[in-house]
Amino acid sequence: MATATMPRRPTKARKYQTKILIGGQWRDSVSGKTFKTIDPSTEEVITEIAMGDAADIDLAVKAARKTFDDRKGVWRKMDARDRGRLMHRLADLIEEHIDELAELETLDNGKPIAESRNVDLPLVIDCFRYYAGWADKIQGQVVPIRGNYLCYTKKEPVGVAGQIIPWNFPLLMAAWKWGPALAAGCVSVLKPASSTALTALRLGELAMEAGYPAGVVNVVPGRGSVAGDALAKHPGVDKIAFTGSTEVGYGLMKICSETLKRLTFELGGKSPNVIFADADLDTAVQGSMLGLFFNQGQCCCAGSRLFVEDKAHDEFVEKLSKKVESRKVGDPFDPDTEQGPQVDKNQYDTIMSYIEKGNKEGAKCVTGGERLGDKGFFIKPTIFDNVTDNMTIAREEIFGPVLSVLKFRDIDEVIDRGNANEYGLAAAVWTRDIGKAHAIADGMRAGTVWVNCYDVFDAAAPFGGFKKSGFGRELGEKGLDSYTEMKTVTISLA
Ligand code: NAP
Ligand code: MG
């Protein structure tokens, strides 16, 4: 996949968009304050970004509100098909700037350039194109009610969407939020994660270039506990879409209950990945490795509880360890790199503390378990074997390159143990037995189940959580529901 034309680390002279986008204007924060964003592979400051707070959020929500509420304004009067064309134009611009955006994502987040360029960016473009196609297909029904009436439903945009996104897939999460919102005719105030705001700001520039009317998309970087909190509290916001930690989700739900905002949450996970002895083990090893180590283990759907049938356990762990040890960890701008640094010092420290707990509680570290190098937040890919269900590393989301291996004997046992966790985002099973595959797909309380594959994402396939992994679905037709309100119109024909 790596090619000679792969994007490179930008030079020091490179300029970035670092201001706040409100009502079509780029501005400094009201307070004049900025915050630093760093390159996690060198720990050097990339640039300083305007730090929005409640005052900036207020301006952004008012700008969004004004655009949305103006019934005679260009956004509300725009034909649905033209909304779709605007989205296609944005997708085309992203494609024209694909190398530059991939480079920026890798710089700010630390993910390998081969992944930014060949995984994240194509998914971003696909998401916008997929929802562009929906813009003129969001329609209601004629309802056969009793009496002499014509009754029909229509779907209308929910209004101003406050969208708070994480740092693990910065641009892709922006696309998952803007795609359905813009197709449905909503307007957005987007709050990117503090550690990775640069690509969302560049996306804002491209949206302006595509011709989005002022106030349709607004981007306000700033601290979650300040700017994110203000967005959730603002009475001018109709809906909050949040992707991030379950802990922040609890707080947001309380805050949003005061103004009865619509909510969609995509939170954490501790997904079971089940390997039966009859599986094609080499394929399962490769898939399970990616299922956990992809994106430095910073995936909400990471297959972090690897259940291996006892008969296959020793062979599987040996093969997996060899594979994992051969992973190329290092400079994310090297086109051959498979694992870069963790996103920031906080995440690095949290992961290292989980590794310490794994060791203390008696799991067996078969590979990794330590920092790599002395600069940048690099952690060696780590596998713990002999993990039991009650250990901290088997229960809590680590969000890093740390895999827990657990043994199981039969199918009912593994379904029960797989479900014995507060999360329910994803699950996977590897087997040649179609009966076992269906039993797992049926039995696991999870929003997505992968059979003989992992991390297969598509803009058309709904994604979201059971239990404490969240509610509502993103992507697919279902992803539009949370950005529309249904209106029922009844007309007397008497
Ligand atoms: P987080 O705190 O939940 O951050 C996610 C987003 O929410 C960021 O934009 C963040 O802003 C914002 N935020 C933080 N506190 C907020 C508040 N009180 N009100 C409103 N918005 C707020 O996640 P994190 O601290 O970066 O990561 C911690 C853990 O979250 C991870 O270890 C992982 O378990 C989970 N996580 C899950 C996902 C996922 O895809 N489901 C993604 C990332 C993290 P700031 O960036 O300014 O804090
Ligand atoms: Mg945070």
Side-chain angles (χ1 to χ4, degrees):
M1 291 233 269
T3 65
T5 61
M6 202 59 92
R8 290 167 193 283
R9 182 181 296 279
T11 63
K12 298 260 182 225
R14 168 84 188 268
K15 292 269 179 283
Y16 307 96
Q17 178 55 259
T18 59
K19 296 196 178 192
I20 299 175
L21 176 61
I22 295 177
Q25 304 290 318
W26 292 97
R27 39 207 301 174
D28 292 320
S29 60
V30 172
S31 70
K33 287 188 185 154
T34 58
F35 65 96
K36 295 181 172 66
T37 190
I38 59 139
D39 170 351
S41 59
T42 61
E43 301 179 45
E44 282 169 19
V45 175
I46 303 168
T47 185
E48 300 212 6
I49 295 173
M51 184 158 72
D53 62 19
D56 305 278
I57 289 289
D58 185 51
L59 291 175
V61 173
K62 283 183 176 143
R65 198 73 263 165
K66 184 159 169 268
T67 299
F68 185 78
D69 289 341
D70 181 359
R71 288 188 301 110
K72 304 222 163 88
V74 55
W75 184 241
R76 292 301 292 275
K77 297 210 78 165
M78 190 181 284
D79 286 338
R81 203 152 302 163
D82 291 333
R83 277 207 314 272
R85 285 185 57 190
L86 263 186
M87 296 186 75
H88 275 301
R89 211 174 295 156
L90 178 57
D92 290 344
L93 282 172
I94 296 169
E95 197 163 41
E96 276 171 37
H97 295 87
I98 190 166
D99 286 344
E100 177 211 327
L101 286 161
E103 165 201 296
L104 198 54
E105 197 78 310
T106 287
L107 181 73
D108 211 10
N109 168 284
K111 64 175 69 200
I113 192 70
E115 286 174 13
S116 314
R117 173 64 181 75
N118 301 328
V119 181
D120 292 44
L121 262 299
L123 287 171
V124 167
I125 295 163
D126 208 44
C127 181
F128 279 115
R129 293 210 170 118
Y130 172 80
Y131 278 112
W134 267 114
D136 61 355
K137 297 169 194 71
I138 301 171
Q139 58 194 29
Q141 290 175 323
V142 175
V143 187
I145 65 170
R146 279 185 200 282
N148 197 13
Y149 301 100
L150 169 64
C151 177
Y152 64 89
T153 58
K154 61 197 290 259
K155 292 182 184 174
E156 296 189 356
V158 86
V160 176
Q163 305 182 308
I164 303 174
I165 57 171
W167 41 261
N168 52 346
F169 293 91
L171 256 186
L172 187 58
M173 291 301 104
W176 284 25
K177 299 289 181 275
W178 277 6
L182 298 175
C186 291
V187 297
S188 162
V189 177
L190 181 74
K191 208 299 281 173
S194 298
S195 40
T196 56
L198 288 176
T199 46
L201 293 168
R202 183 70 184 111
L203 185 67
E205 283 185 326
L206 294 177
M208 292 299 99
E209 197 179 328
Y212 273 93
V216 173
V217 290
N218 305 274
V219 185
V220 185
R223 297 280 167 235
S225 54
V226 180
D229 180 77
L231 193 55
K233 284 182 178 148
H234 204 294
V237 173
D238 298 295
K239 175 216 161 65
I240 289 286
F242 168 73
T243 301
S245 60
T246 298
E247 191 190 340
V248 171
Y250 283 134
L252 285 177
M253 196 158 175
K254 276 192 204 129
I255 291 170
C256 291
S257 71
E258 280 165 32
T259 41
L260 230 61
K261 289 186 177 57
R262 283 90 184 102
L263 287 179
T264 37
F265 279 176
E266 207 262 273
L267 309 172
K270 191 76 189 173
S271 300
N273 180 21
V274 179
I275 317 291
F276 284 100
D278 69 20
D280 172 342
L281 287 193
D282 291 324
T283 312
V285 162
Q286 176 68 15
S288 304
M289 178 181 75
L290 286 179
L292 185 281
F293 293 100
F294 176 66
N295 205 35
Q296 293 68 246
Q298 302 167 146
C299 296
C300 46
C301 56
S304 50
R305 285 185 295 151
L306 184 74
F307 288 97
V308 186
E309 191 172 354
D310 54 3
K311 285 183 272 186
H313 172 270
D314 294 356
E315 183 187 350
F316 194 85
V317 172
E318 198 190 314
K319 284 184 176 204
L320 183 67
S321 311
K322 264 202 198 121
K323 246 279 140 11
V324 166
E325 276 159 16
S326 72
R327 268 178 90 69
K328 188 161 181 211
V329 187
D331 178 8
F333 279 96
D334 178 337
D336 295 324
T337 290
E338 294 168 299
Q339 184 179 312
Q342 306 311 127
V343 74
D344 60 22
K345 175 87 167 60
N346 260 344
Q347 289 299 312
Y348 170 86
D349 287 342
T350 307
I351 296 160
M352 292 311 281
S353 78
Y354 276 113
I355 290 176
E356 205 180 306
K357 280 181 198 135
N359 284 320
K360 260 201 196 131
E361 293 177 19
K364 181 178 154 204
C365 183
V366 289
T367 186
E370 54 189 19
R371 182 176 192 171
L372 179 77
D374 52 13
K375 205 175 61 169
F377 309 119
F378 295 92
I379 297 177
K380 288 188 185 168
T382 300
I383 300 177
F384 278 106
D385 197 7
N386 299 349
V387 177
T388 54
D389 295 355
N390 56 347
M391 287 181 188
T392 311
I393 56 168
R395 287 185 290 107
E396 296 182 12
E397 185 177 41
I398 301 175
F399 228 64
V402 182
L403 177 66
S404 298
V405 183
L406 305 101
K407 265 191 218 176
F408 76 94
R409 239 180 253 119
D410 72 64
I411 191 158
D412 284 329
E413 170 205 337
V414 80
I415 292 172
D416 286 343
R417 288 170 64 198
N419 285 332
N421 186 276
E422 59 184 10
Y423 294 117
L425 195 55
V429 55
W430 301 79
T431 177
R432 288 189 175 102
D433 179 334
I434 194 166
K436 285 180 186 160
H438 277 296
I440 294 284
D442 194 51
M444 289 297 185
R445 305 252 310 136
T448 291
V449 180
W450 285 296
V451 178
N452 292 330
C453 58
Y454 210 102
D455 276 349
V456 178
F457 280 94
D458 192 286
F463 182 77
F466 281 30
K467 302 194 278 181
K468 287 186 185 162
S469 289
F471 44 80
R473 290 292 177 270
E474 296 191 284
L475 304 183
E477 183 178 2
K478 190 76 194 153
L480 290 163
D481 286 357
S482 60
Y483 290 95
T484 53
E485 293 279 13
M486 182 164 279
K487 179 179 279 180
T488 305
V489 180
T490 305
I491 303 168
S492 168
L493 299 178

